Amino acid sequence: MKRDPVCMKNDMLETLISKEELQATVARLGKEITRDYRGKTPLLVAVLKGAFIFMADLVRAVDIPCTLDFMAVSSYGTGTVSSGQVKIIKDLDTNIEGKDVIIVEDILDSGVTLSYLMKLLQARKPNSIRLCTLFDKPARHKVDITPDYKGLEVPNEFIVGYGLDFAEVYRNYPEIAVLKPSVYSEE
Ligand code: IMP
Ligand code: MG
């Protein structure tokens, strides 16, 4: 992998989604959740690590009381191709029985991770459970899954930034970008 050790921008082919568009999208999702959960105190569950920045911005766009929790799962190795396996690395701290749960995910790709998580959490008897994903790659779905809250559809390209990584790097890039092919190459 050839990475510029000094400047992340030099590793990017193009910007796909600007900071402003991200901000507007998160604000819209926050409004939708606020409208739908008025009078309730939903529990937002972010899927680490990819959703950490989205979660931080989303909860500040939600204008009703809510509680938070985090789960860590891994469905990928360190590369860009799904292994099809979902492993729980960190479970919830909270008992979700009777709660109104919203799963907060960075990107819905094959849908394998989220459909597994939904089943797992459904078995714990929440009052309701909904999905909020910032990005969706509909062309890549392998399972039948429809998010209740959806930020933006993205093309079938590997994207980084705003929490999303390639081999754990670029999560701190403040906008959504596509990497240069040279960054993936082995030599
Ligand atoms: P799924 O189980 O295939 O839907 O995988 C979803 C997970 O894969 C996301 O939570 C991301 O961590 C990761 N992922 C999928 N597509 C991308 C991408 O384009 N960039 C970075 N991570 C991705
Ligand atoms: Mg990832």
Side-chain angles (χ1 to χ4, degrees):
M1 192 199 305
K2 281 193 206 117
R3 237 183 7 234
D4 187 325
V6 180
C7 176
M8 286 188 287
K9 203 173 180 61
N10 288 340
D11 292 345
M12 307 305 173
L13 189 65
E14 57 172 352
T15 295
L16 215 60
I17 302 162
S18 68
K19 287 182 200 171
E20 293 72 25
E21 202 179 345
L22 284 169
Q23 224 175 19
T25 303
V26 176
R28 169 176 59 80
L29 293 170
K31 281 204 183 94
E32 290 176 17
I33 290 172
T34 301
R35 176 198 65 204
D36 294 352
Y37 287 83
R38 186 91 52 205
K40 295 180 177 153
T41 306
L43 168 67
L44 278 71
V45 172
V47 185
L48 295 173
K49 302 171 198 163
F52 85 108
I53 292 179
F54 175 39
M55 178 75 150
D57 285 345
L58 180 68
V59 290
R60 285 177 289 180
V62 168
D63 198 22
I64 50 166
C66 64
T67 57
L68 315 184
D69 206 342
F70 298 90
M71 271 187 103
V73 298
S74 92
S75 61
Y76 280 79
T78 48
T80 62
V81 182
S82 175
S83 65
Q85 301 238 309
V86 181
K87 201 168 85 186
I88 295 204
I89 293 164
K90 183 214 167 292
D91 205 337
L92 296 173
D93 297 333
T94 326
N95 177 2
I96 63 168
E97 191 172 335
K99 300 241 172 89
D100 294 298
V101 175
I102 305 173
I103 300 178
V104 177
E105 176 63 305
D106 54 354
I107 185 165
L108 182 54
D109 187 34
S110 71
V112 170
T113 311
L114 277 175
S115 74
Y116 174 87
L117 261 187
M118 289 286 276
K119 278 193 200 111
L120 183 99
L121 298 185
Q122 199 79 64
R124 299 180 187 177
K125 302 193 168 53
N127 182 54
S128 67
I129 185 159
R130 285 188 178 163
L131 283 185
C132 175
T133 187
L134 180 56
F135 302 117
D136 188 16
K137 280 186 191 169
R140 302 249 316 162
H141 289 194
K142 274 196 233 147
V143 297
D144 185 19
I145 188 162
T146 311
D148 302 282
Y149 303 97
K150 173 156 103 175
L152 300 167
E153 287 193 0
V154 292
N156 189 5
E157 276 181 284
F158 196 79
I159 57 175
V160 295
Y162 198 75
L164 289 115
D165 71 305
F166 170 62
E168 293 297 330
V169 183
Y170 309 112
R171 293 192 196 276
N172 58 322
Y173 197 64
E175 52 193 19
I176 294 291
V178 177
L179 288 170
K180 286 177 184 165
S182 59
V183 179
Y184 298 101
S185 70
E186 291 298 318
E187 32 1 293

